[in-house]
Each structure stands twice: as structure tokens, then as C-alpha cells.
Amino acid sequence: SAVISQKPSRDICQRGTSLTIQCQVDSQVTMMFWYRQQPGQSLTLIATANQGSEATYESGFVIDKFPISRPNLTFSTLTVSNMSPEDSSIYLCSVVLSEAGELFFGEGSRLTVL
Amino acid sequence: GQNIDQPTEMTATEGAIVQINCTYQTSGFNGLFWYQQHAGEAPTFLSYNVLDGLEEKGRFSSFLSRSKGYSYLLLKELQMKDSASYLCAVRDSNYQLIWGAGTKLIIKP
């Protein structure tokens, strides 16, 4: 399995500000996935980040709110823009590393918006 | 719509056996995954089933019946460290992962 590093691991942010989360994988992967997990809930896919093309967003998520970059096959960023308390959540990046297709996750970034 | 059902919470005793059930209704089926998630941590992969039957991996086993839209995760010889949430996820015909809400397992001494 690969090492997937996310930072920051946690942050406390003020309403109206933006925060960029970084995800670094120690091997090249085609697709990287960004998930949100709100307190006590399961995982919700935000978008799929493909190298060299625009990210594909799921219903309910838009690029203006969650811009994503994918400059190469080992790195991606997710920005949470104009944050509100409802954005308080754990944000997780994940990748597929085997033919079976199981996801491997980064450690997560826990954001609290005041 | 697509739906995955798991019990919200279960309690078991250290050293015992527990079975966590998952039923699903999805648009097609391309595999079922179980993940473990300790509080405050990211999910970690436990098992993958794509064919009917039982997959055993140490103290953990996972079963699948595609005709019934049903899976279970069996944990044997429970240890305190097994206290966690267990997430069931199904990959549909579009290769999208549909996630259950997770089952919080509480292990008591």
C-alpha cells in the first residue's frame, strides 16, 4: 500500500475564509478522490481529481466552493472557500491502488469553522 | 434510489463473536467493501467481496450473497481495539462507491 499524506491534519478557521488541503501520495495514481465526512455521518464524495483535466464534481458540490488542483500524478489540493460553520468536517483524500479497486485514505483533515 | 442499510450501533463482549450485517439496493453490483474506522481516524480497508461466499482474513471474515443483496462482517475473538465504526460500501454499475452510514461497535470487557 502507498503512503498518503494530508495536511493540515486539523485547523480552526474563521467564517468567510478559505483553506487549502494538500494530499501527497508516494506513488503515481490516475485518480484521486476527495471525500467529506461530517460529524457522526458516513463518507460523501465531493469530487474526483484527474491529472491534466478538470475535476468531476458530485451532485451538491461546485467548483467555486471546492476548487481542486491536480498538477501531477502524486499530488492534489482541495480548497474549501468562503467557509461557514456547516463546512466543519473531516476532509479525506483517497486513491485506488489495486485492481480490486479498494480505496486507501489519507489521515484526514479535520476543519472546524467558527 | 441506491441504498445501503447497516445497524447504527452494536455492543459485544471482549472475546466473543459479532456479526455486522449490511443490505444493499444499488444500480448494478461490482463488489462490496468493508472498512474499519476508529474515532478521529481515516477508514482502513478490511475486505472485498465480489463473488458469493465467505472471505476469511484472520479474525475477520466477510460474506456476500448477491441474490439477496446482503453481506456481513464477522469478527471473532473480539478485542478492545476492535471498538470502531465499520463501514459497508458497494460499487455500482458505474463503478461509483455507495457508502453505508456505518455501524458503531462497542466492545465491553
Side-chain angles (χ1 to χ4, degrees):
Chain A
S1 61
V3 173
I4 306 170
S5 303
Q6 266 186 254
K7 58 180 180 181
S9 58
R10 59 179 62 237
D11 207 339
I12 299 173
C13 308
Q14 296 298 318
R15 179 195 299 261
T17 62
S18 298
L19 181 78
T20 295
I21 303 166
Q22 299 180 5
C23 181
Q24 179 77 52
V25 187
D26 70 352
S27 61
Q28 294 185 338
V29 292
T30 304
M31 290 191 290
M32 295 175 78
F33 304 90
W34 286 99
Y35 279 89
R36 181 173 73 182
Q37 188 174 31
Q38 293 180 306
Q41 298 188 24
S42 192
L43 301 167
T44 302
L45 180 65
I46 297 171
T48 302
N50 303 302
Q51 193 268 335
S53 65
E54 292 282 335
T56 303
Y57 288 83
E58 298 299 307
S59 176
F61 298 96
V62 295
I63 188 171
D64 290 346
K65 176 67 175 177
F66 297 101
I68 287 171
S69 78
R70 183 80 200 275
N72 56 53
L73 291 173
T74 64
F75 186 77
S76 179
T77 68
L78 170 76
T79 299
V80 187
S81 304
N82 188 26
M83 286 186 284
S84 66
E86 292 72 34
D87 294 320
S88 297
S89 187
I90 299 174
Y91 292 85
L92 295 149
C93 75
S94 65
V95 300
V96 172
L97 293 172
S98 76
E99 291 183 3
E102 66 263 31
L103 286 176
F104 292 89
F105 289 88
E107 309 99 324
S109 300
R110 182 184 293 273
L111 301 188
T112 302
V113 184
L114 303 177
Chain B
Q2 310 207 84
N3 192 53
I4 295 184
D5 288 316
Q6 306 179 234
T8 303
E9 187 174 296
M10 299 181 70
T11 302
T13 304
E14 189 176 17
I17 299 173
V18 71
Q19 178 175 310
I20 302 174
N21 295 325
C22 170
T23 58
Y24 62 89
Q25 292 135 358
T26 57
S27 302
F29 178 85
N30 280 296
L32 184 144
F33 302 85
W34 284 96
Y35 284 82
Q36 180 190 60
Q37 186 176 25
H38 286 101
E41 298 182 12
T44 56
F45 169 74
L46 286 178
S47 69
Y48 170 66
N49 295 71
V50 67
L51 299 176
D52 290 351
L54 189 68
E55 294 282 341
E56 297 187 75
K57 193 184 293 185
R59 292 189 299 115
F60 293 6
S61 303
S62 57
F63 172 83
L64 174 67
S65 169
R66 288 172 295 171
S67 63
K68 296 181 180 178
Y70 168 70
S71 173
Y72 67 73
L73 181 70
L74 191 72
L75 292 75
K76 303 176 185 176
E77 301 169 16
L78 286 169
Q79 302 175 10
M80 297 303 293
K81 68 178 182 180
D82 297 329
S83 292
S85 288
Y86 291 85
L87 306 174
C88 173
V90 173
R91 189 163 56 196
D92 69 10
S93 57
N94 293 319
Y95 280 77
Q96 299 295 312
L97 268 183
I98 314 301
W99 292 86
T103 299
K104 182 178 180 180
L105 178 63
I106 299 168
I107 309 297
K108 296 185 175 179

